[in-house]
Amino acid sequence: QSTRTGPSRPPQDPASVATRFLREYEEAYGTQHPNFYAGGYSAALNKAKNDLKFLVVYLHSDEHDATDKFCKETLADSELLSYLVVNEMIVWGGNVKETEGFQVATTLQTVKYPFLGVIALSQPTAGSSATKMVLIDRIEGSSTAEQIIERLTQQVNRQSAALDRLRSERRERDMTREIRQQQDDAYQQSLRADREKARQQREAQEAADKLKQEQERLEAEKEAALNRRERHLKYLYENLPEEPAASESGCARLSFKLWNGERVIRRFRGTEPVEHVYVFIETIEFRENGSKAELHLEAEEHVGYKHEYDFVLISPFPRTKIVNREALIKDEPALWPSASLVVELVEEDEGDD
């Protein structure tokens, strides 16, 4: 039969149409059939072109009497199905009642059903390297599996040499492209490694510069703090009241054993604060023959500066730390009216108890 009517269903997504075609086909004829491509005709065409394979198009028409037998017997033949698989042919099926199936039937100019079209890549013509997919054979009407295999074999034999050449050329192009890609990847990897190395060197240099600057800043701050401390100590030394005369009453006589074993004796007025005793010990090196006696420093009081002593005065019997530096000497029992004291250095993490 050669009559053909228009599609009875509105256009839909090609993948959905392909799914429905397969479902309806298997409901009517069972699951033994070619492995129909799960997508639209254009997608199947492109895949066959890209993979350099044959595309077999089956157009199905429910209106023709030969359709049922063709589907149940011919398209279910095990030898035909095996032949399609061995030769890696892509099979696309469509129902002409669908918009896409009808359009394909119109494009392939079908006149009889069942219809099988064989499509393959055309050979480049003189003066042109362009290739396209063309219909190279059409099997229309009732056909046996043996007849279809014979027709397909004829086309495979005709096209095999050209397709093999195209496959070889494609493999060569792919290999050249892969080698070029590998070379480019190696170059990019080398470039990234060089950039990473340069970045690490730059960051290391920046870190070293930053560390050096920080060390220089801390050293400068430390030196400035030390200088400020020494000037302040000299100020304290110069402003410490002179030792009272031996004949002056109301004074305490204090004996000190220094951290180096040296012993020093000095008198203090009872109205002086204990702070003066600490200042005396702290500034002892500024006195005559002291290690800082010849140090050329300008005495300077630093307002708000709180001097931290690195020693504590100890009254040995009983052992008592003298830490209330604001108290008057006469009010400190461990100092008044006389005392023998030990100057004991303290660790950095110790505070005044």
Side-chain angles (χ1 to χ4, degrees):
Q1 298 178 3
S2 60
T3 58
R4 185 171 73 237
T5 59
S8 60
R9 291 176 175 170
Q12 280 187 306
D13 169 59
S16 300
V17 174
T19 300
R20 183 167 62 243
F21 170 77
L22 180 61
R23 184 181 66 251
E24 292 178 350
Y25 188 98
E26 290 184 342
E27 288 174 354
Y29 309 113
T31 58
Q32 186 162 330
H33 55 72
N35 183 23
F36 293 114
Y37 183 78
Y41 172 74
S42 296
L45 200 64
N46 286 332
K47 181 170 179 57
K49 181 178 180 180
N50 293 333
D51 294 352
L52 294 175
K53 294 180 179 180
F54 289 92
L55 174 63
V56 177
V57 176
Y58 168 62
L59 290 175
H60 183 88
S61 176
D62 296 321
E63 299 176 358
H64 293 78
D65 297 335
T67 296
D68 285 349
K69 182 179 179 182
F70 185 77
C71 293
K72 290 178 179 179
E73 297 179 6
T74 303
L75 291 187
D77 184 85
S78 59
E79 289 188 14
L80 174 59
L81 298 182
S82 176
Y83 183 89
L84 294 172
V85 171
V86 170
N87 288 274
E88 298 182 336
M89 294 183 175
I90 297 173
V91 181
W92 181 84
N95 196 319
V96 294
K97 69 181 178 182
E98 303 282 359
T99 299
E100 185 178 38
F102 182 79
Q103 290 174 343
V104 174
T106 302
T107 300
L108 301 183
Q109 299 178 348
T110 60
V111 294
K112 288 184 180 180
Y113 293 91
F115 174 87
L116 286 176
V118 184
I119 299 176
L121 197 64
S122 66
Q123 305 308 306
T125 57
S128 173
S129 60
T131 57
K132 61 180 181 179
M133 299 295 284
V134 296
L135 182 68
I136 59 174
D137 199 1
R138 52 199 306 130
I139 305 172
E140 299 177 287
S142 298
S143 303
T144 64
E146 291 78 8
Q147 291 171 331
I148 294 174
I149 292 173
E150 183 180 355
R151 293 280 289 274
L152 291 175
T153 301
Q154 291 174 0
Q155 295 303 327
V156 168
N157 292 337
R158 286 197 190 107
Q159 302 291 328
S160 60
L163 285 176
D164 287 344
R165 187 182 70 254
L166 289 174
R167 293 186 182 107
S168 177
E169 291 173 356
R170 175 171 290 184
R171 281 194 300 270
E172 186 175 346
R173 286 196 305 272
D174 290 345
M175 185 176 298
T176 301
R177 183 168 57 250
E178 183 177 354
I179 292 173
R180 189 181 303 117
Q181 183 64 47
Q182 290 174 349
Q183 291 172 339
D184 185 61
D185 290 344
Y187 170 75
Q188 292 297 331
Q189 184 176 358
S190 176
L191 187 62
R192 285 193 298 271
D194 290 343
R195 287 174 178 169
E196 178 62 18
K197 183 178 179 181
R199 183 190 67 80
Q200 291 178 354
Q201 290 176 340
R202 184 176 64 256
E203 290 182 353
Q205 185 60 48
E206 290 174 354
D209 292 344
K210 185 176 180 181
L211 179 60
K212 181 180 178 182
Q213 292 173 0
E214 181 65 12
Q215 289 174 338
E216 289 175 349
R217 184 187 67 81
L218 292 174
E219 190 64 30
E221 288 184 357
K222 181 179 179 181
E223 185 175 350
L226 182 61
N227 187 268
R228 183 169 61 249
R229 180 179 185 275
E230 295 299 313
R231 292 201 307 272
H232 186 77
L233 285 177
K234 190 168 185 181
Y235 167 81
L236 294 177
Y237 164 70
E238 292 182 355
N239 287 273
L240 186 67
E242 292 289 335
E243 182 177 8
S247 60
E248 185 175 340
S249 61
C251 298
R253 182 178 181 276
L254 303 181
S255 172
F256 303 94
K257 181 181 180 182
L258 303 182
W259 51 86
N260 59 5
E262 181 183 352
R263 291 187 177 276
V264 178
I265 299 175
R266 190 188 191 278
R267 286 165 54 81
F268 293 87
R269 294 178 178 86
T271 55
E272 293 182 61
V274 175
E275 182 77 24
H276 284 183
V277 182
Y278 271 83
V279 171
F280 168 74
I281 297 299
E282 186 69 283
T283 61
I284 200 166
E285 292 179 350
F286 283 96
R287 303 181 184 281
E288 187 177 357
N289 299 325
S291 62
K292 298 180 182 179
E294 302 299 325
L295 197 60
H296 297 291
L297 280 175
E298 181 179 349
E300 180 181 356
E301 179 185 17
H302 291 278
V303 179
Y305 171 76
K306 182 180 179 182
H307 185 71
E308 297 291 339
Y309 297 96
D310 58 359
F311 65 89
V312 64
L313 297 177
I314 304 292
S315 177
F317 304 108
R319 179 180 172 83
T320 304
K321 289 185 178 181
I322 302 167
V323 295
N324 185 5
R325 297 193 293 269
E326 295 180 358
L328 297 181
I329 294 175
K330 66 179 182 178
D331 295 333
E332 177 56 63
L335 299 179
W336 187 261
S338 64
S340 293
L341 305 172
V342 175
V343 180
E344 190 174 284
L345 297 177
V346 297
E347 299 295 332
E348 290 186 2
D349 58 350
E350 281 189 51
D352 289 342
D353 293 340

